[in-house]
Amino acid sequence: MFKFLRKHPPKDSEERGQLKKELFGYRRCLDHGFPSKPSCMAYDPKLKLLAVGTKTGRIKILGAPGVEWSVELRSDVSVNQLFFLPEQGRLLSLCSDNTVYLWEINQKGEKSVLEQKREYTFSVDESRMKGISVCCLTNNCEQLLIGTEIGNIYILDLNSFKLLDQIIYQDVVMQNVPDDFKVNPGAVEALAVHPTDPDKFLIGYNRGLIVLWDNEASNADQTYNSTQQLESLSWHRNGTEFMSAHNDGSYIIWSSTNSAEPKDPALTPYGPFPCKAISKIDWKTAKLDPFIIFAGGMPRASYGDRHTVTIMQGANNIHTVLDFTSKVVDFITISRADEAEDDMEMDEPHTLVVLAEEELVLIDLETQGWPSFALPYLNSLHCSPITCSQHVSNVPDNLWQKIADAGQAQNKNLSSREWPINGGKIAGAESLTKDLLLTGHEDGTVRFWDASSTSMSLLYKLSTASLFNVEIHGDHNSGEVEEEWPPFRKVGNYDPYSDDPRLGIQKIALCPLSETLVVAGTAGQVVVMRAERDDRELEVSSTTVSVVSDRDGFVWKGHEALGKREGEVTFPAGFQPVAVMQISPPAACTALAFHSEWQLVAAGTAHGFGLFDYAQKKEVTSRCTLNPDDLTGTSDTPISRRKSFKKSLRESFRRLRRRRSERRKAEEKTKEQKKGDDKSEGIEEKASPIKTSPPASPESRPVERQVEARNPEDSISSMVRCLYFATTYISDVSNTTSSLWVGTNGGHVYIYTVTVPQEKRSENEVAAVLAKEIKLRHKAPVMSIAVVDGRTKILPDPLEVQHARAKEPQGNNHSVVICSEEQLKIFTLPHLKAKWKYKITAVNGSRIRKVAFINFRSRSDDNYSECNIACLNNQGELSVYSVSTLRQQLEASCLRREDINGISSFTFSKNGQGFYLQSASEYARVTLSARCATEPTCSLELKEGMRVVVEDEPEPETQEAAQTEGNTDMQHTEEVSTSTETTRTASVQETTTTVISGDNLENSTVTTTVTESSQQVTSSGDAPITDN
């Protein structure tokens, strides 16, 4: 009876079902970081909003920090161009499928959303359209000029969202072209509306022909002929001159009234040798001197591989070439004249916004030296590839201030001006806690991100390279201009190269209460650091801990350890080193744990683990976990494991022979069963001609797959996967003992008792003795270990009880939860008797990849909380299990099973949220808690009457037929409502929240047909507990 109860705990009651709804609820919150594969951007100077589109069909609108909206089209559609309708809260997007969308920021209940209102798709069968090459808004924002690859220009009326009958054919334009220009001008390459005459605009064709077109008179006012291929056009503010940029790296200034010859000869800034094309040029006036800003134009032979934007300012010859490490996608110049309510004589540019493939950079044009801005959002998280991460909740104010001050000292070369893109307002309350997201990088740096709100900004960057003998290249944002021509200046933070791959950070652990940080690297280096307010000169000592010293004949075939820098080294304010433990052999660290109260650090590799006392800077103990037969050098990758070719062939043949014999036995068995079935069927048919279905079982059980015991040869069984410090009952029930738990890849758990001296800590030695061992029968990797007290609460972290952040563990009936890849199991302490078990791989075939113990709080009752186990499996599914009975509380699909990088990068927070890399540069944020969710909460105020009232008139059938014959197609979405548009004039409230305690919100995905979908989450506790 007791065995049955152990297998099958009592089912959840109705009250428990209601409580689960108050505790758990999966939804995706938002994204942090830089969008992957950006393709275009737009800026609204009146509302001060920035929009970014991507090749994967995503659009993101941002304003002040915390103000953001986003929408996602089909994944196979690329956003090619974006246009804001100034002061209207509307955005036009031109996509790769030749569709123009109109988006609006609107209020939907308590939320503000970016929704699709209009859609116009050019017919695929329309031969005259071919493809859209460029678009341009008119000055009154009522029409969109659409240039095509065959040279025609169409006009889309934005009020009716229909094509006008007027079409500017290339043949008509060519009638006024001089006879000396006989070649086909090519596609429409550029369009630029006259700044003072709204009826005129420039048409630039690919092969160099430029036409000033008078749309009211429908004729060419002027024609300009350049000998080079055209790339870009830009007007002077007064409308009397304009500038054209070409593919040979030159630009020409023309007069708008005289097309006979250029006003000035063609100027090639970086000639006379052949140069690359100037892809875009901008001409802005200022009180001092005008600005000429252009992308590209570098000498082909010398700097053809550089990605640049050049800023030149007038007669003062102020000249800087901004050098980026990734390709420049687009740039926008923000001017005071565009933002002002009244007309200004000069443009007065103050900020240059550059969108590159891997980062966003803003340049301050009003401050001497043109420094960069510190980004409050859209940060390049992958400035060096991310290798690991950790989330730290509720950071004390003292530590937060130390980190912030150290970060500000690092930003002394950045602009001190306020962030210029500050549209919208934050409507929600500020976060109650200060949270950090720590990311370790390939170049040996640890970056501290403010994860308290929706906009994740960089607080502080810590580099470990200064501890070792490694050559470090210069900082990109130093502000120094190289003494050469062209005058390059490195800008941006994206740097895909590493000084030494051994510097890569593998594990991070931060104790916010003791202000201690431990980082472990690729070459077995473990650095203990502590936060300091002042600069200090230190000579750091390094202690070598040999893991395989007791194994004769072991040969390490990997990289060498990093050399320590000798003598005193000056460390700036921030985290400064206390001690360094070097594991030998220098394999990558695979597990890390430290106890700040005991001042002990444990680190594991593929060979074993070491325990280090960083108070006395000495080794406490170490253990080699390698098999006695495995004495060759191994690393943490299966490729480098020793396995002879002869042995591999032998095992392959044995496996084939075994399968054949098993198949033969199975066939014989099925034949015997068929004979028996035939006999029984004959008897049944005689007895009763009517077939009856078998009775249904009272309780359907899941099909349990047989999980074979793993062969140690199939994986690195010696690898240490988890380390855990705990004060619990190890030897008897009367006294608690300090302990260290070590879990390996082969399902082996070592339990060490640790004796920490209470007095004279710096003199008396720490001792560690192996007390017990656990060998899991299925030999699956041990992912995580935690001890639970009598109240089914996880033991508090070090110093939490002293700082009144947690209660003392209660009761003497402790138990330990051991999470392997294939199952969850609870053992009683100190006897280590199995109490509960939940098989995961046997039930659904998945394997656990990430585990965390989370304290879930009720969204309606502040006094109720419970601890549960959160897991992410290799299928991309998130699950929550009860600590007391291991019953499943929640299951939700989060990632695609093919997204290996996203699954491996997933990290949980203590309050039930999660982060994972949805691309190399962007974290997605999700939550499993019904109470805690970080979502944007903002508002956007519009002036009254700014949005044009659009009336939809029914069209007669004859008009529809004529429109179909003309092969033009307009599609209205179901969400377009006349009543909504006629009443929406005053203000649009946008809401985004940090903590949501209401009903579950739907995740809306807008496609070309504007469909809304919600993520269905099953919250079930009926999965049975099974036993071997």
Side-chain angles (χ1 to χ4, degrees), residues 1 53 118 149 152 184 197 230 257 268 330 372-373 376 446 448 468 607 680 712 725 754 767 791 816 1025:
M1 182 67 182
R118 294 292 185 113
E149 293 178 0
N152 298 337
N184 188 314
D197 190 346
L230 181 71
T257 57
T268 306
D330 194 7
S372 302
F373 281 92
V446 178
F448 292 68
F468 307 100
H607 309 109
S680 60
F725 288 101
V754 181
R791 299 175 302 149
V816 61
I1025 310 298

Side-chain angles (χ1 to χ4, degrees), residues 830-987:
H831 304 296
L832 294 178
K833 291 183 179 180
K835 185 178 179 183
W836 298 113
K837 181 196 296 184
Y838 188 92
K839 292 183 179 180
I840 293 174
T841 306
V843 173
N844 55 27
S846 62
R847 297 181 186 275
I848 296 177
R849 289 290 177 258
K850 298 289 179 178
V851 184
F853 295 87
I854 297 174
N855 188 39
F856 288 92
R857 297 181 61 191
S858 171
R859 62 181 174 185
S860 59
D861 186 359
D862 293 339
N863 297 321
Y864 183 81
S865 66
E866 66 180 40
C867 188
N868 291 278
I869 309 169
C871 301
L872 174 71
N873 63 26
N874 63 341
Q875 307 296 316
E877 297 169 343
L878 286 168
S879 303
V880 178
Y881 301 92
S882 169
V883 166
S884 57
T885 61
L886 296 184
R887 184 178 292 281
Q888 191 178 71
Q889 307 296 306
L890 174 75
E891 184 177 16
S893 179
C894 177
L895 292 106
R896 294 178 294 107
R897 59 186 298 179
E898 298 85 7
D899 189 2
I900 299 174
N901 291 332
I903 294 173
S904 61
S905 64
F906 200 100
T907 182
F908 288 99
S909 71
K910 286 188 175 181
N911 59 7
Q913 297 190 68
F915 299 81
Y916 67 88
L917 286 173
Q918 66 177 8
S919 67
S921 60
E922 199 171 17
Y923 269 110
R925 188 168 188 158
V926 299
T927 183
L928 290 169
S929 171
R931 180 187 181 99
C932 299
T934 304
E935 294 181 322
T937 348
C938 44
S939 63
L940 180 67
E941 295 182 358
L942 303 179
K943 291 183 179 179
E944 188 170 349
M946 287 310 301
R947 284 189 178 170
V948 180
V949 178
V950 181
E951 297 271 345
D952 289 341
E953 297 181 359
E955 298 182 1
E957 294 181 1
T958 55
Q959 291 184 6
E960 292 181 1
Q963 184 180 6
T964 306
E965 291 177 1
N967 289 321
T968 55
D969 192 12
M970 181 179 70
Q971 298 176 354
H972 292 281
T973 62
E974 295 180 358
E975 292 187 7
V976 176
S977 171
T978 305
S979 59
T980 306
E981 293 187 6
T982 53
T983 56
R984 189 184 297 111
T985 54
S987 67

Side-chain angles (χ1 to χ4, degrees), residues 306-332:
R306 299 281 186 111
H307 311 292
T308 61
V309 173
T310 298
I311 308 175
M312 299 190 301
Q313 188 178 13
N316 292 336
N317 200 23
I318 304 175
H319 193 143
T320 298
V321 181
L322 307 177
D323 189 5
F324 297 84
T325 50
S326 61
K327 183 180 178 182
V328 175
V329 176
D330 194 7
F331 71 84
I332 293 173

